[in-house]
């Protein structure tokens, strides 16, 4: 019912910034919670940030809090992840996700999300 496509990944130097976009199609996602995860080879998909569909309250993992900002533009059916002060440890494939049934207690679990994008590579060099 919903298709998600990420874009905006690339190669940046440590300390730089990058903005990822997640465009949804198929139906309006204004009432869906949206999240960003990241994954490196051999590791589980890691929670990065989420924003609720109802209140718009943002949530962040400890590793990115203060550096990343999640936002959404419901008129464009698009979500964003602004990444500042990037570190080499941020290198990963970043995925956006959406869910119509969501709670803060389970927001960091991949199983909480119904829809996923294909991922976009972010590489932070030293």
């Amino acid at each position: 019912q919903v298709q998600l496509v990420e874009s905006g990944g690339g190669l940046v130097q440590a300390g730089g910034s990058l903005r990822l976009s997640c465009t949804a199609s198929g139906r309006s996602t204004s009432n869906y919670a949206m999240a960003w995860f990241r994954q490196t080879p051999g590791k589980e998909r890691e929670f990065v940030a989420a924003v609720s569909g109802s209140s718009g309250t943002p949530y962040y993992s400890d590793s990115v809090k203060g550096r990343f900002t999640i936002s959404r533009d419901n008129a464009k059916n698009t979500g964003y992840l602004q990444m500042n002060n990037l570190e080499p440890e941020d290198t990963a494939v970043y995925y956006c996700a959406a869910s119509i049934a969501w709670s803060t207690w389970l927001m960091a679990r991949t199983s909480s999300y119904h829809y996923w994008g294909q991922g976009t590579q972010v590489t932070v060099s030293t």
Side-chain angles (χ1 to χ4, degrees):
Q1 296 181 22
V2 175
Q3 294 80 44
L4 305 177
V5 179
E6 302 97 335
S7 63
L11 174 64
V12 298
Q13 294 186 7
S17 299
L18 203 62
R19 189 177 77 159
L20 306 183
S21 298
C22 175
T23 299
S25 62
R27 63 181 297 171
S28 174
T29 57
S30 60
N31 293 325
Y32 288 59
M34 183 187 70
W36 290 90
F37 287 75
R38 64 188 183 186
Q39 187 170 27
T40 57
K43 296 183 179 180
E44 294 183 349
R45 195 162 295 186
E46 175 192 14
F47 173 78
V48 176
V51 59
S52 68
S54 56
S55 67
T57 303
Y59 302 90
Y60 301 96
S61 68
D62 290 340
S63 62
V64 307
K65 193 172 185 178
R67 300 188 298 120
F68 291 10
T69 302
I70 188 171
S71 62
R72 65 196 305 167
D73 185 338
N74 289 333
K76 297 180 178 180
N77 229 19
T78 300
Y80 304 95
L81 183 68
Q82 178 67 47
M83 304 183 294
N84 298 326
N85 301 316
L86 284 163
E87 304 169 352
E89 292 74 20
D90 296 318
T91 296
V93 176
Y94 283 71
Y95 300 87
C96 67
S99 176
I100 195 169
W102 184 88
S103 69
T104 57
W105 300 109
L106 301 175
M107 65 179 174
R109 297 176 63 91
T110 59
S111 60
S112 296
Y113 299 89
H114 303 100
Y115 307 104
W116 292 87
Q118 85 289 347
T120 184
Q121 177 71 47
V122 172
T123 302
V124 184
S125 66
T126 58

